[in-house]
Amino acid sequence: MILCIETSTTKCSAALGRGKEILASREAESPEGGHAAALAPMVDELLEVLRSHEGATLSAIAVSAGPGSYTGLRIGASLAKGLCLGYRVPLIAIDTLELQAHQAQCALPEGRTATLFPLLDARRMEVYAAEFTHTGERKQDDFAAILSPEAPIFGAASDPILIGNGATKARGLWPEHSYEVWDEGFAPTAKAMVALATAAFEREDFVDTAYWTPNYLKDYVAVIAKNKVLNR
């Protein structure tokens, strides 16, 4: 069994499974800082489920590798690393945008060909983005972009589908172009990660538990709220 942890957005989730089998999963909506309180109890519950199944063992930990929320990714990575060291199992890193593309790929009608653009909200009109074919083949590495009415993010790609919470910002932004926005129901989840984690496990595609860090894609910038009073 593989324990999957996803914390790249405000949705915090964990799942236990292998291949198409999901043994158990938990998820909650929480602000970025709330992941620290929400995630550990979820994982404890799933490990208790694992212990209750005779013959079931933990083979690996998979975690969302980013891009996404700096705080969320850091919380998920820290817990995943600690569990790997404690259980002496390997760590698998799953790219968050690849995970979103996989979720959209599974939702495509049979025979539909499209170009998939997972977009994660990066505040203001900024997004984290990547490009995949309808079969899941990566066409462009993860990148940070500013959505602009002058330049569609999908360029000349055929039948583009924009996926995720970043795609909401693009709804109606380019009225002269034909594209779809799939934003509702496509937040990255640990349950959807299980299939990708299993494939990575079978390839022995592991990362170094001690030295691996999430792909934040851009530097973290601390923002002080306007109503924050600083002590002098």
Side-chain angles (χ1 to χ4, degrees), residues 95-180:
D95 182 272
T96 309
L97 295 172
E98 181 181 354
L99 173 58
Q100 280 194 289
H102 171 72
Q103 290 175 253
Q105 180 188 353
C106 293
L108 282 172
E110 186 175 355
R112 171 81 182 270
T113 60
T115 308
L116 307 177
F117 289 86
L119 305 180
L120 276 173
D121 185 3
R123 298 183 179 178
R124 302 182 184 87
M125 288 301 286
E126 294 182 71
V127 295
Y128 302 121
E131 179 181 353
F132 294 83
T133 68
H134 66 281
T135 60
E137 177 188 354
R138 181 182 284 274
K139 301 295 288 184
Q140 192 170 4
D141 290 338
D142 297 352
F143 62 96
I146 298 175
L147 298 179
S148 166
E150 289 75 33
I153 196 167
F154 44 79
S158 60
D159 195 10
I161 300 177
L162 311 186
I163 306 141
N165 61 5
T168 304
K169 300 178 179 181
R171 190 181 294 278
L173 191 60
W174 305 292
E176 68 277 18
H177 294 274
S178 176
Y179 64 98
E180 294 181 36

Side-chain angles (χ1 to χ4, degrees), residues 167-203:
T168 304
K169 300 178 179 181
R171 190 181 294 278
L173 191 60
W174 305 292
E176 68 277 18
H177 294 274
S178 176
Y179 64 98
E180 294 181 36
V181 172
W182 291 8
D183 49 357
E184 296 296 327
F186 284 94
T189 66
K191 187 186 297 186
M193 192 191 298
V194 171
L196 294 178
T198 301
F201 181 84
E202 292 173 349
R203 296 193 306 267

Side-chain angles (χ1 to χ4, degrees), residues 13-151:
S13 61
L16 192 61
R18 180 81 185 259
K20 295 182 179 181
E21 178 189 359
I22 306 296
L23 184 61
S25 65
R26 301 287 187 275
E27 65 180 51
E29 191 74 25
S30 64
E32 288 183 0
H35 289 356
L39 185 59
M42 287 183 187
V43 169
D44 284 343
E45 288 181 20
L46 295 184
L47 293 176
E48 186 60 37
V49 170
L50 180 68
R51 286 189 287 269
S52 69
H53 280 69
E54 187 176 352
T57 58
L58 188 63
S59 301
I61 309 289
V63 66
S64 51
S69 158
Y70 180 93
T71 302
L73 291 172
R74 185 166 49 83
I75 291 169
S78 296
L79 180 58
K81 286 185 172 190
L83 290 169
C84 284
L85 294 172
Y87 282 88
R88 297 184 179 180
V89 294
L91 178 63
I92 298 169
I94 301 296
D95 182 272
T96 309
L97 295 172
E98 181 181 354
L99 173 58
Q100 280 194 289
H102 171 72
Q103 290 175 253
Q105 180 188 353
C106 293
L108 282 172
E110 186 175 355
R112 171 81 182 270
T113 60
T115 308
L116 307 177
F117 289 86
L119 305 180
L120 276 173
D121 185 3
R123 298 183 179 178
R124 302 182 184 87
M125 288 301 286
E126 294 182 71
V127 295
Y128 302 121
E131 179 181 353
F132 294 83
T133 68
H134 66 281
T135 60
E137 177 188 354
R138 181 182 284 274
K139 301 295 288 184
Q140 192 170 4
D141 290 338
D142 297 352
F143 62 96
I146 298 175
L147 298 179
S148 166
E150 289 75 33

